[in-house]
């Protein structure tokens, strides 16, 4: 659950991108597509959450940091700004989501390396039959038959092979 390698650097870069987007929202309030009365509180919340991302990075928390990054990007891009900020908002969203996905994938890979993920048979419980048997080494294992399987009926059944009584000869 602890950040390793360059993950803190990724978090700091993501926090810087989010903070730059929040500052751009506060500075650029006029122009084509700008609202008549801009609202500033979402940008302030986004800046506060970007600082929270830095704090969670200092604690090297791999679980909390992606959530903080996504919420910070959400608040920075919440209020519609001028058209000149649309590219900045897209960059902020991609940076936050990209950071979250990269950290999540690295966490998953680390859990698999430790063997923390369980097999499907382990989730169902023990002592339930064929699922618990280990296949012989080198031989492929046959799939377990489904109990609800109904074999298809033949195309020529006894009733369809005879002529019905309503047809004329």
């Amino acid at each position: 659950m602890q950040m390793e390698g360059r993950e803190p650097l990724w978090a700091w870069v993501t926090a810087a991108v989010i903070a730059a987007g929040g500052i751009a929202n506060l500075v650029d309030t006029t122009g084509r597509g700008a609202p008549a009365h801009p609202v500033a509180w979402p940008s302030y919340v986004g800046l506060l959450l970007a600082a929270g991302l830095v704090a969670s990075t200092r604690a090297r928390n791999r679980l909390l940091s992606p959530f903080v990054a996504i919420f910070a990007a959400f608040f920075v891009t919440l209020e519609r700004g001028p058209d000149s900020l649309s590219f900045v908002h897209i960059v902020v969203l991609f940076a936050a989501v990209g950071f979250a996905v990269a950290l999540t994938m690295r966490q998953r890979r680390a859990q698999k390396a430790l063997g923390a993920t369980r097999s499907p048979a382990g989730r169902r419980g023990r002592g339930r039959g064929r699922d618990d048997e280990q296949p012989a080494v080198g031989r492929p294992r046959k799939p377990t038959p489904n109990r609800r399987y109904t074999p298809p009926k033949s195309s020529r059944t006894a009733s369809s092979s005879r002529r019905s009584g309503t047809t004329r000869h």
Side-chain angles (χ1 to χ4, degrees), residues 9-23 47 50-51 53-54 92 95:
L9 177 65
W10 298 346
W12 292 332
V13 168
T14 304
V17 168
I18 292 169
I23 291 170
L47 287 171
L53 177 59
V54 171
V92 166

Side-chain angles (χ1 to χ4, degrees), residues 11-103:
W12 292 332
V13 168
T14 304
V17 168
I18 292 169
I23 291 170
N25 279 347
L26 293 172
V27 171
D28 189 8
T29 57
T30 60
R32 186 172 166 218
H37 303 286
V39 178
W41 71 266
S43 296
Y44 288 124
V45 172
L47 287 171
L48 185 67
L49 287 172
L53 177 59
V54 171
S56 71
T57 303
R58 298 280 297 166
R60 292 188 170 266
N61 193 330
R62 206 185 240 177
L63 180 66
L64 184 63
S65 296
F67 286 115
V68 173
I70 288 178
F71 282 123
F74 169 74
F75 278 106
V76 166
T77 60
L78 182 65
E79 185 60 35
R80 177 157 165 42
D83 292 343
S84 61
L85 290 178
S86 61
F87 180 72
V88 173
H89 287 181
I90 290 172
V91 169
V92 166
L93 286 173
F94 273 119
V97 172
F99 168 69
V101 168
L103 219 58

